[in-house]
Amino acid sequence: DAGITQSPRYKITETGRQVTLMCHQTWSHSYMFWYRQDLGHGLRLIYYSAAADITDKGEVPDGYVVSRSKTENFPLTLESATRSQTSVYFCASRGLAGGPYQETQYFGPGTRLLVL
Amino acid sequence: GNSVTQMEGPVTLSEEAFLTINCTYTATGYPSLFWYVQYPGEGLQLLLKATKADDKGSNKGFEATYRKETTSFHLEKGSVQVSDSAVYFCALRRTDKLIFGTGTRLQVFP
């Protein structure tokens, strides 16, 4: 299906375990982003990527790792999950600056993560 | 630094009432401004945008005007419907990244 998808949609894990959240987009957008959404904080940027093999930290990167070996995929890994990482995680993508859709960021449906 | 401030919710209205959700921003230069909407259980969707001062963004009966002099981008709708119940996020874009406000929940009752 076209668009931006995330998997899994729901995940329960335990403190200390490694968890990987997947994000896939079919538009060949250059930019991809990971956010977390928490009550009272809105959306906070974790990491973003301007192109394959180029990643950069956002506002709250500690405890997370990303990679982008292919343009269409941008996985987010929690190396050792903590309870404070319980949240809803959103992936997003956007086209290149100067393109017709440069200003519009498209969001996936989200992954609800519970760390026990 | 760059930031967005939104009015706290929830905003509770009856159907057909007038809606205003306030948004002000702090930024260097002239950022692009956005309103995103999040329906229950879903991701965010772009509602409208404005890329320069005095631009008016509009979509689905919602409007917002980019006011440089007051650094504001307030969201308005003349007559809300129950289906407008959602969380609304104001955001600005500087360079590569979007900066979001904390969101305002709108609840519309019949």
Side-chain angles (χ1 to χ4, degrees):
Chain A
D1 288 346
I4 183 165
T5 56
Q6 294 183 235
S7 61
R9 295 293 312 278
Y10 303 91
K11 177 74 177 178
I12 300 175
T13 191
E14 295 177 337
T15 302
R17 289 192 181 267
Q18 183 179 82
V19 176
T20 296
L21 309 184
M22 303 302 294
C23 179
H24 176 77
Q25 51 103 356
T26 60
W27 296 301
S28 298
H29 281 168
S30 293
Y31 287 90
M32 295 187 75
F33 306 84
W34 273 107
Y35 295 89
R36 59 178 290 172
Q37 184 178 25
D38 305 288
L39 211 57
H41 291 281
L43 273 79
R44 292 181 291 176
L45 183 64
I46 303 170
Y47 270 96
Y48 69 104
S49 168
D53 297 323
I54 301 174
T55 62
D56 210 346
K57 295 179 180 179
E59 182 185 353
V60 289
D62 292 344
Y64 303 95
V65 174
V66 293
S67 62
R68 194 158 176 217
S69 57
K70 293 184 178 181
T71 299
E72 60 267 30
N73 297 323
F74 191 39
L76 175 73
T77 298
L78 289 65
E79 292 192 300
S80 178
T82 65
R83 289 182 181 165
S84 64
Q85 293 177 310
T86 292
S87 186
V88 182
Y89 291 85
F90 288 99
C91 180
S93 71
R94 178 169 62 82
L96 258 182
Y101 304 107
Q102 62 168 315
E103 294 287 2
T104 302
Q105 204 161 291
Y106 296 90
F107 283 80
T111 295
R112 292 184 177 272
L113 176 68
L114 173 62
V115 182
L116 300 174
Chain B
N2 300 318
S3 65
V4 175
T5 302
Q6 288 182 239
M7 61 188 290
E8 286 193 22
V11 174
T12 304
L13 295 173
S14 297
E15 208 165 24
E16 299 184 6
F18 184 85
L19 168 71
T20 300
I21 300 178
N22 290 336
C23 171
T24 57
Y25 67 90
T26 301
T28 53
Y30 302 104
S32 294
L33 301 174
F34 306 82
W35 278 101
Y36 277 82
V37 59
Q38 183 180 30
Y39 298 103
E42 297 184 10
L44 278 70
Q45 304 172 25
L46 179 65
L47 181 59
L48 53 84
K49 66 183 181 186
T51 57
K52 60 183 188 295
D54 300 324
D55 266 2
K56 176 186 283 188
S58 61
N59 186 25
K60 299 181 181 179
F62 291 89
E63 293 183 340
T65 301
Y66 190 138
R67 301 285 188 200
K68 185 180 67 173
E69 59 278 2
T70 55
T71 61
S72 64
F73 193 54
H74 304 321
L75 183 68
E76 296 182 335
K77 187 175 186 183
S79 176
V80 294
Q81 305 300 311
V82 172
S83 57
D84 293 326
S85 297
V87 181
Y88 292 81
F89 291 92
C90 185
L92 66 83
R93 187 167 84 82
R94 288 293 290 156
T95 62
D96 293 339
K97 296 174 282 190
L98 280 178
I99 296 169
F100 288 90
T102 53
T104 302
R105 181 175 299 278
L106 171 65
Q107 297 174 325
V108 182
F109 293 96

